[in-house]
Amino acid sequence: MNSTTNIVLRRPDDFHVHLRQDADLGEYAREAARVFARVLVMPNLVPPILEGPDVSRYRQAIREQAPALEALMAFKLLPRHTPAQLASLKTAGAVAGKVYPEGVTTNSEDGITDLRQIWPLMPVLEELGLVVCCHGEKPGVFSLDREERFLDEFSQTVTKFPNVRFVLEHVSTASAVECVEHLGANAAATITLHHLEITLDDVIGGMLKPHLFCKPIAKRPSDREALRQAAFSGNPKFFFGSDSAPHLKGKKECAAGCAGVYSMPVALEGLAEVFERAGKLERLEGFCSQFGAEFYGLALNEETVTLVRDAWKVPDLAHGVVPYRAGELLAWRVATLSTGTPLNA
Ligand code: NCD
Ligand code: ZN
């Protein structure tokens, strides 16, 4: 048994979350505020977050529901965006434009087919300092190969525009890890908790597990291993984005189930378990509380969060959604948020 009973970390940020909208928004936003200081909020709503006023309205709605949460705003980046619209998005407080390839995930029907379609916007994005977040899957390709087939256009884009920052979101393959490692300092990647833990076999290798179905789909054990090594490496190009993506139970347990894993209720606790199991707890803080903020040019959070070794059972249902690791025991519990000295200060 490990002797560590307390983990004190600089308060973490989550650089990829889905908070949804309307009646659903409050519960999901407050769940995030439980642990995270800041979250980068994805724009794939219906209708999508496309323009400055959408960003302002959405941020205000989040603020009303979860005043303690700092929402970093993203908009859906489309080839038809004009320089004036991008400037107004920046003025409204957006920090990133999210690129969705067509049809690869929830609400992406209006997406692009090739990253080169947004090349004409790059000088403006550079001038405004907007980060480009990419859902890295190529439309129309066999699902296990979609991410790998996106890497060419991603690499070309990152190399051609060295003064624009790019994030390859929720990487799921060894190839993507290798690609980001070899690109310049303007490329980074987010990694989710679930991609650090599961493979395709957990989804379909035995009984079908719809609550583990997400985009990009979890891949091979060798891919998971590469993701783990990237997360544990201390390489600042890899940082945490949960991709917590709640869908009501009935939308997952049906004939055509939605993609997305709702990991927010267990996000930090689950990460602590993964890092501890690997003997890499000392690398957790960089991964979830430092590298993402630095890449986005944000100050590090001052507060700390304390995890205690005190097992608890993940509920079967949270706000109508079956959370990641539902019904399982988790070793770590978030005890306090406070100001104080971070673990690795
Ligand atoms: C996300 C969602 O439901 O919004 N789903 C998912 O499987 N990850 C969208 C996304 O980030 O791809
Ligand atoms: Zn997502």
Side-chain angles (χ1 to χ4, degrees), residues 251-282:
K251 300 260 180 168
K252 299 281 289 176
E253 299 178 7
C254 58
C258 293
V261 172
Y262 184 39
S263 56
M264 191 54 81
V266 302
L268 185 61
E269 298 88 337
L271 281 179
E273 224 170 275
V274 171
F275 278 69
E276 182 181 36
R277 222 183 289 131
K280 295 288 183 187
L281 264 183
E282 78 280 5

Side-chain angles (χ1 to χ4, degrees), residues 35-207:
V35 171
F36 294 98
R38 296 172 291 205
V39 294
L40 180 63
V41 187
M42 291 296 139
N44 59 335
L45 309 187
V46 182
I49 303 301
L50 280 180
E51 300 201 38
D54 304 331
V55 165
S56 304
R57 268 194 304 273
Y58 192 26
R59 194 186 30 218
Q60 184 55 27
I62 296 167
R63 204 170 271 160
E64 278 164 19
Q65 295 293 328
L69 185 67
E70 188 178 339
L72 306 168
M73 305 305 292
F75 60 94
K76 191 180 268 194
L77 179 60
L78 295 173
R80 67 167 188 266
H81 268 119
T82 64
Q85 285 172 324
L86 294 173
S88 121
L89 281 155
K90 172 77 182 188
T91 305
V95 300
K98 173 80 184 280
V99 174
Y100 287 94
E102 183 186 76
V104 295
T105 192
T106 310
N107 303 331
S108 60
E109 295 72 21
D110 54 355
I112 60 166
T113 52
D114 195 298
L115 200 46
R116 284 164 278 234
Q117 288 171 279
I118 58 158
W119 280 12
L121 305 179
M122 288 300 166
V124 183
L125 293 167
E126 175 179 338
E127 193 187 311
L128 296 170
L130 288 165
V131 173
V132 178
C133 299
C134 299
H135 182 117
E137 291 194 288
K138 189 76 182 160
V141 171
F142 178 65
S143 63
L144 292 181
D145 300 331
R146 269 174 214 169
E147 185 171 279
E148 218 166 324
R149 288 279 295 280
F150 182 79
L151 298 178
D152 248 3
E153 64 201 68
F154 182 71
S155 304
Q156 274 188 42
T157 307
V158 166
T159 309
K160 193 171 168 68
F161 302 100
N163 298 321
V164 180
R165 286 165 293 166
F166 296 88
V167 180
L168 191 56
E169 298 292 335
H170 41 53
V171 285
S172 67
T173 57
S175 313
V177 167
E178 200 187 333
C179 170
V180 170
E181 277 170 352
H182 286 96
L183 286 168
N186 62 322
T190 55
I191 304 181
T192 75
L193 167 62
H194 49 282
H195 286 102
L196 290 173
E197 292 203 289
I198 65 169
T199 70
L200 185 57
D201 260 8
D202 294 294
V203 191
I204 58 163
M207 305 285 268

